[in-house]
Amino acid sequence: MADQLISTADHDTLPGNYVRPEAQRPRLADVLSDASIPVVDLANPDRAKLVSQVGAACRSHGFFQVLNHGVPVELTLSVLAVAHDFFRLPAEEKAKLYSDDPAKKIRLSTSFNVRKETVHNWRDYLRLHCYPLHRYLPDWPSNPTSFREIISTYCKEVRELGFRLYGAISESLGLEQDYIKKVLGEQEQHMAVNFYPKCPEPELTFGLPAHTDPNALTILLMDQQVAGLQVLKEGRWIAVNPQPNALVINIGDQLQALSNGRYKSVWHRAVVNSDKARMSVASFLCPCNDVLIGPAQKLITDGSPAVYRNYTYDEYYKKFWSRNLDQEHCLELFRTTPTDTS
């Protein structure tokens, strides 16, 4: 099955099972390339202003870039370098880690969910569970030899950054600073090391189609040389051009639920190009599986009733993986009342 990996060979033509129907293609010429994504400087000494900026970004975009985030620049460069080294390994070495089972905690795979898809996505990825590290680290790739040390150090750094961001997001909602961290329980942490090879016909396929993230918060380390991430804003796709040394933050479905819909887990996608391969490393903070998730009580009023019912993250995650990635927003299945489509 590892022969499905697209990173093991060069491709002169796009295989037919990657070609999207015409109505589902990315229409790259229509993408806004110069629109700005909010940028928040986490070194801002004015806490009230920082919190206000985070809240505004969560409301308007569901995405923002952070500067002075505390993760060493040298470490982020090392992460991208060792990720490239991993995907350059011989096919037989990578085959040892291949699996198309979404339940597997550590796996190298391709596309998104090849067991369910009819059209594939131009992506290979290494999926790692990262917390607690001592449980999962022994099963991570041992080649390249520096992989475990570099990636585990990065995992610890982004976890702490995620918790700092939770504090600002909680405060921006008028909640106690530790509300989100406490209510989500002993959180799991996953990582997707995404590799998008050069694509012979990028206008016909996606790296990943439009989707929202099922977790609480995503911290994305982007390739500084090659853009590919796009977000949906007011019906238009916007290219996210990486700021030097920035990390990209996006609100996941669980924070949309906790905020009672005030903050949006926004649709985003990855496109590919014919000139250069692209790498990204997405870190996902996820609620404890058995914790009960729903709108914060303080955000439920007579004028703003609960938009979503309570559920466990385990229930949500299973529902998310039972569907195709680009179906309707999974949170719609957890609404207290059906959406008015009139």
Side-chain angles (χ1 to χ4, degrees):
M1 294 295 286
D3 58 0
Q4 293 194 57
L5 293 171
I6 54 174
S7 58
T8 56
D10 291 326
H11 300 267
D12 296 323
T13 58
L14 188 68
N17 57 348
Y18 287 86
V19 177
R20 293 262 160 189
E22 190 164 347
Q24 298 175 16
R25 292 175 187 173
R27 303 185 187 279
L28 299 175
D30 295 340
V31 174
L32 291 174
S33 59
D34 55 355
S36 60
I37 299 292
V39 178
V40 178
D41 184 349
L42 295 185
N44 189 337
D46 185 338
R47 179 70 180 177
K49 185 174 182 181
L50 188 156
V51 167
S52 175
Q53 288 177 333
V54 168
C58 292
R59 278 191 302 275
S60 66
H61 286 73
F63 262 85
F64 54 100
Q65 299 193 54
V66 290
L67 301 173
N68 296 311
H69 42 68
V71 181
V73 173
E74 301 78 12
L75 178 59
T76 62
L77 295 174
S78 295
V79 168
L80 290 172
V82 80
H84 272 290
D85 289 345
F86 173 81
F87 280 99
R88 289 191 192 105
L89 291 173
E92 59 271 17
E93 183 75 17
K94 289 189 286 191
K96 298 173 186 175
L97 288 163
Y98 184 83
S99 174
D100 61 7
D101 179 3
K104 201 153 187 251
K105 307 280 190 189
I106 288 113
R107 70 186 190 278
L108 175 63
S109 198
T110 192
S111 190
F112 175 70
N113 187 352
V114 291
R115 292 184 176 185
K116 290 187 63 64
E117 297 163 348
T118 53
V119 181
H120 297 324
N121 305 297
W122 200 254
R123 172 185 80 139
D124 287 349
Y125 65 98
L126 178 64
R127 187 81 179 196
L128 303 173
H129 277 229
C130 310
Y131 186 85
L133 267 171
H134 66 81
R135 181 185 302 167
Y136 298 116
L137 192 61
D139 296 321
W140 284 11
S142 56
N143 191 7
T145 54
S146 59
F147 184 92
R148 291 181 182 178
E149 180 182 356
I150 291 171
I151 299 298
S152 63
T153 302
Y154 179 74
C155 285
K156 288 182 259 190
E157 292 278 356
V158 294
R159 188 175 182 86
E160 288 307 310
L161 171 60
F163 290 160
R164 285 170 56 205
L165 291 166
Y166 278 167
I169 294 168
S170 291
E171 288 181 68
S172 73
L173 287 165
L175 305 170
E176 295 295 320
Q177 184 176 353
D178 62 354
Y179 178 84
I180 292 175
K181 184 180 178 184
K182 284 172 67 174
V183 80
L184 296 182
E186 186 70 9
Q187 290 174 68
E188 293 193 8
Q189 183 178 347
H190 308 166
M191 173 185 282
V193 183
N194 301 306
F195 182 66
Y196 305 96
K198 287 192 296 184
C199 179
E201 296 176 279
E203 67 281 358
L204 301 183
T205 193
F206 287 104
L208 277 175
H211 64 284
T212 64
D213 288 349
N215 51 296
L217 192 74
T218 301
I219 300 173
L220 183 70
L221 171 59
M222 291 177 63
D223 193 319
Q224 294 286 309
Q225 309 302 319
V226 190
L229 175 66
Q230 299 177 351
V231 300
L232 190 63
K233 177 86 163 67
E234 296 171 351
R236 295 289 303 274
W237 286 103
I238 298 172
V240 179
N241 300 310
Q243 294 257 346
N245 305 323
L247 293 169
V248 177
I249 312 300
N250 79 273
I251 299 300
D253 295 352
Q254 306 318 310
L255 291 190
Q256 178 169 329
L258 283 177
S259 72
N260 203 29
R262 295 187 188 186
Y263 293 170
K264 302 301 182 187
S265 177
V266 179
W267 290 90
H268 56 287
R269 67 186 189 179
V271 297
V272 290
N273 72 81
S274 57
D275 299 322
K276 290 183 177 179
R278 187 172 77 91
M279 184 76 67
S280 72
V281 180
S283 296
F284 307 102
L285 286 181
C286 310
C288 178
N289 269 339
D290 59 2
V291 76
L292 202 61
I293 296 170
Q297 282 299 126
K298 193 173 180 180
L299 303 180
I300 300 172
T301 65
D302 289 342
S304 181
V307 178
Y308 306 104
R309 68 171 175 84
N310 291 342
Y311 55 85
T312 65
Y313 186 59
D314 183 59
E315 178 188 1
Y316 192 91
Y317 201 63
K318 285 175 178 172
K319 180 68 73 174
F320 180 86
W321 276 96
S322 72
R323 307 156 69 251
N324 287 327
L325 188 61
D326 52 357
Q327 283 182 258
E328 68 170 347
H329 200 311
C330 191
L331 261 181
E332 293 299 315
L333 306 176
F334 295 83
R335 277 187 172 270
T336 51
T337 56
T339 306
D340 183 5
T341 56
S342 60

